[in-house]
Amino acid sequence: MPHTPPPAAVLFDMDGTLVDTEQLWWQAAAELADELHHRLGDADAPEVLGQAIEHTAAHLHRVTGTSLSEAELADRLGESFAGKVAAETVPRPGALALLASLRDARVPTALVSASPRRVVDLVLGTLGRDWFAVTLAAEDTPRTKPAPDPYLAAAYLLGLDPASCVAVEDTPTGVASATAAGCAVLAVPSSAVPIPDGSRVTLLDSLEHADLALLGKLGAARGV
């Protein structure tokens, strides 16, 4: 059986993909929504999970009719989320083992997050900074997810064509960003928000089932 080489690089989302912080983000948004007399439900999920702080702040501003500005809501969300992340950061099952296998194989990795830099740095303080050659936060590109900018920037900083990279994501927003950039995508959903399957999107139920062979296969399929 022919050997499948590893991908040129693997670009990881952070929240919900490598660390179990999507529930913390939902809690931060739900608590603020409660203060504004709105209970978050399934209809709100696409506007919260996987979204940048500014997007969710704009959504809360619309649905609550609050007199607080979107900027004030974003500040409140950011403070709350950062506090929760500082208190509780748990790696997702299989995340550290996969990162270790990529390091052993000398496959470069990047962290590509829509969270603000202060949250990314808090997570890196627990997860470990040395896993990644490049880290990108929301402030590091003109547009964040679902725009392709973050993944395009990560590939550029690694000196690679995005089409040679595999992105690992957990939400439709992140998948849209990575596919728009031209990456093959391994999607490991962390919530009930469905991720549409596609020619360049492979769904998996846990990073525990991801390995170099699978990632190499996804990277090799880019020309298909």
Side-chain angles (χ1 to χ4, degrees):
M1 182 179 295
H3 172 69
T4 301
V10 181
L11 316 177
F12 286 95
D13 171 56
M14 186 179 77
D15 297 305
T17 300
L18 288 177
V19 289
D20 193 11
T21 50
E22 283 291 359
Q23 62 170 333
L24 303 180
W25 172 233
W26 181 267
Q27 288 172 15
E31 289 170 4
L32 181 55
D34 282 346
E35 289 183 33
L36 303 174
H37 310 292
H38 175 73
R39 183 174 295 277
L40 287 189
D42 292 344
D44 301 288
E47 309 299 330
V48 177
L49 296 175
Q51 298 290 357
I53 285 176
E54 291 76 13
H55 182 102
T56 299
H59 172 68
L60 291 179
H61 190 269
R62 287 193 303 271
V63 298
T64 65
T66 178
S67 60
L68 294 173
S69 69
E70 291 182 18
E72 289 173 314
L73 293 174
D75 286 344
R76 293 275 301 276
L77 284 168
E79 289 292 336
S80 177
F81 183 45
K84 293 178 186 302
V85 169
E88 180 183 358
T89 299
V90 179
R92 297 282 292 171
L96 294 179
L98 183 58
L99 287 169
S101 69
L102 290 166
R103 181 177 60 190
D104 291 345
R106 299 191 178 183
V107 176
T109 60
L111 187 71
V112 184
S113 179
S115 285
R117 173 56 64 179
R118 62 177 170 173
V119 173
V120 170
D121 286 343
L122 283 171
V123 171
L124 288 174
T126 299
L127 189 65
R129 299 175 183 275
D130 294 340
W131 296 116
F132 309 103
V134 168
T135 67
L136 286 163
E139 304 94 328
D140 295 329
T141 53
R143 300 176 297 172
T144 190
K145 304 172 187 179
D149 303 35
Y151 282 103
L152 292 173
Y156 173 79
L157 290 171
L158 291 171
L160 296 169
D161 183 341
S164 70
C165 302
V166 177
V168 185
E169 273 285 355
D170 72 309
T171 65
T173 301
V175 168
S177 174
T179 54
C183 303
V185 181
L186 175 62
V188 185
S190 66
S191 71
V193 181
I195 294 177
D197 202 355
S199 60
R200 302 210 71 206
V201 179
T202 298
L203 296 174
L204 205 62
D205 61 3
S206 172
L207 286 180
E208 293 173 294
H209 303 138
D211 56 22
L212 282 173
L214 173 61
L215 293 170
K217 181 180 178 181
L218 296 180
R222 62 185 178 272
V224 176

